[in-house]
Amino acid sequence: YLRGHKKINITISIDGATKKTYETLRRGGRFEVVMNNLVFLGELRVHGEISLLNIDFVLQSANIAELEKMRVLAHENHVDRINVLKVFDYGLLNDFDNLISVVDENKKCVKEKYKRYFTKEVLGDQLFSWGVMADYIETEEKKESLYFPGYSIL
């Protein structure tokens, strides 16, 4: 089926790099199924059956400690890009800012307790596309270095 198409781009949502986190955030989701599918898609990517393989990763307090694991998982499975997405408050939780969000909306920065997860390896890996999150990450380097080359986040 895929061979009849010239360009196939696939994006999958994986909000946890471990079984515990994934299945907590994706209620009813089965980590093993997702990982098997990721391996299969990675092989399709290697063999040129698909053009791009991307992961959407909604960054939140429950999974921020897994940024490095997600980076390794993506490299092992031939992923082209990890789109790091900011979690939004839809008014469903009373204490969203304290329970889920990793950013301080008032100061427009990552909360102090989460900054340690933005390591040189994570920030320096061109696999990550930081999108809106780039506006919250404070580094000594220019923010432009956080944007995925060739892609606009605006």
Side-chain angles (χ1 to χ4, degrees), residues 13 22 31-32 41 55 59-60 67 78 85 103 105 113-114 117 146 152:
S13 294
Y22 178 82
F31 186 71
E32 294 83 7
L41 291 169
I55 291 175
L59 193 61
Q60 49 199 296
L67 275 172
H78 316 287
L85 307 172
V103 299
E105 290 293 348
K113 65 182 176 181
Y114 299 120
Y117 299 112
L146 298 178
S152 172

Side-chain angles (χ1 to χ4, degrees), residues 75-100:
H75 278 291
E76 290 173 348
N77 290 284
H78 316 287
V79 170
D80 294 290
R81 178 176 36 182
I82 301 171
N83 300 308
V84 180
L85 307 172
K86 180 179 169 284
V87 66
F88 287 95
D89 181 4
Y90 294 101
L92 301 174
L93 294 172
N94 293 334
D95 202 11
F96 175 84
D97 284 336
N98 289 326
L99 295 176
I100 296 176

Side-chain angles (χ1 to χ4, degrees), residues 107-148:
K107 295 179 182 177
K108 295 292 183 206
C109 66
V110 173
K111 293 176 184 174
E112 194 63 41
K113 65 182 176 181
Y114 299 120
K115 289 181 180 180
R116 67 179 182 217
Y117 299 112
F118 294 93
T119 63
K120 287 183 181 182
E121 292 78 16
V122 167
L123 290 175
D125 195 324
Q126 294 297 305
L127 183 68
F128 286 100
S129 176
W130 294 99
V132 173
M133 282 302 302
D135 295 333
Y136 295 87
I137 299 170
E138 301 167 357
T139 66
E140 299 202 10
E141 302 156 357
K142 299 277 185 195
K143 283 186 182 174
E144 290 83 25
S145 67
L146 298 178
Y147 302 135
F148 192 85

Side-chain angles (χ1 to χ4, degrees), residues 2-90:
L2 296 177
R3 289 191 179 119
H5 299 277
K6 293 185 180 192
K7 189 171 185 178
I8 305 280
N9 298 337
I10 296 178
T11 301
I12 56 176
S13 294
I14 305 176
D15 295 331
T18 64
K19 177 180 175 64
K20 180 181 179 186
T21 300
Y22 178 82
E23 292 182 0
T24 297
L25 296 175
R26 295 282 175 164
R27 292 185 189 133
R30 293 188 8 231
F31 186 71
E32 294 83 7
V33 171
V34 172
M35 290 302 104
N36 288 338
N37 288 337
L38 181 60
V39 169
F40 173 71
L41 291 169
E43 289 302 315
L44 290 178
R45 178 69 181 101
V46 167
H47 297 296
E49 298 290 321
I50 58 177
S51 303
L52 287 173
L53 177 57
N54 304 312
I55 291 175
D56 279 356
F57 185 77
V58 180
L59 193 61
Q60 49 199 296
S61 60
N63 67 7
I64 192 167
E66 296 182 4
L67 275 172
E68 175 60 22
K69 286 182 183 176
M70 183 58 70
R71 184 180 81 82
V72 171
L73 183 70
H75 278 291
E76 290 173 348
N77 290 284
H78 316 287
V79 170
D80 294 290
R81 178 176 36 182
I82 301 171
N83 300 308
V84 180
L85 307 172
K86 180 179 169 284
V87 66
F88 287 95
D89 181 4
Y90 294 101

